[in-house]
Amino acid sequence: MATTNRIRMGIAGLVLSAGAFVGILTREGYTDGVIIPTKGDVPTIGFGTTGGVKAGDRTTPVKAAQRALLDVRTYEGAVKSCVRAPMTQAEYDVYVDLTYNIGSTAFCSSTIVKRLNVGDYRAACDAILMYRFAGGYDCSTPGNRRCAGLWADRQRSHAQCVAAQ
């Protein structure tokens, strides 16, 4: 018997789960000032917010969480606009989380979306591992100290996606 978590439904009715939102905040980590996470990356503040961030900006945890929620809504809109295939809640959470990290344009033009839209769910999960670069560097390189966290995150997302099948 299928559990509710494994039932695929039209994504128009899905919203990011509270657990996935907390996961995004935890994964991103909080900074009250502007940082550049990896050489060649875009400046971020709060819980990974990039839009409109400029040198010298400051935030508080509450304002940063509110902004992250607004950002999530934007990334949910992107996922809903480019994916036509039904998803489970767990799959949806993984793909919104990934979109939060790589951006709407990258997600919507990805192999992931192409595979989802033809119903190849496992191959879509596997395509998450294609997003292993930061600043032109392959973060999956063994012994990497530059962006090992990104690769660990992709492996976690991949495992969660596969488990949702």
Side-chain angles (χ1 to χ4, degrees):
M1 184 170 156
T3 63
T4 304
N5 195 34
R6 293 186 189 255
I7 296 173
R8 286 199 171 97
M9 58 176 49
I11 63 172
L14 292 171
V15 294
L16 188 72
S17 70
F21 180 65
V22 170
I24 288 171
L25 299 184
T26 301
R27 176 182 50 78
E28 289 290 340
Y30 170 74
T31 60
D32 63 354
V34 177
I35 63 164
I36 299 178
T38 305
K39 184 179 178 182
D41 211 345
V42 296
T44 67
I45 194 168
F47 293 103
T49 291
T50 58
V53 175
K54 52 193 179 315
D57 285 352
R58 306 294 294 172
T59 192
T60 66
V62 171
K63 287 181 182 178
Q66 290 169 337
R67 176 63 192 268
L69 187 57
L70 289 174
D71 291 345
V72 160
R73 298 298 175 237
T74 298
Y75 297 125
E76 282 188 297
V79 170
K80 289 178 179 185
S81 74
C82 60
V83 176
R84 295 181 306 276
M87 288 190 213
T88 66
Q89 180 67 54
E91 289 167 334
Y92 182 78
D93 287 349
V94 165
Y95 292 125
V96 171
D97 182 345
L98 180 67
T99 306
Y100 191 99
N101 190 253
I102 68 172
S104 301
T105 302
F107 180 76
C108 287
S109 62
S110 72
T111 299
I112 297 165
V113 171
K114 290 176 182 81
R115 291 176 179 178
L116 280 171
N117 285 337
V118 296
D120 195 346
Y121 292 94
R122 175 56 195 252
C125 291
D126 292 344
I128 290 170
L129 298 175
M130 297 168 111
Y131 286 85
R132 66 183 192 273
F133 295 92
Y137 184 79
D138 185 344
C139 299
S140 69
T141 303
N144 156 41
R145 292 185 181 176
R146 186 175 185 180
C147 54
L150 182 141
W151 182 239
D153 184 52
R154 295 302 181 264
Q155 291 176 306
R156 176 197 51 79
S157 295
H158 177 259
Q160 287 176 332
C161 187
V162 169
Q165 303 299 300

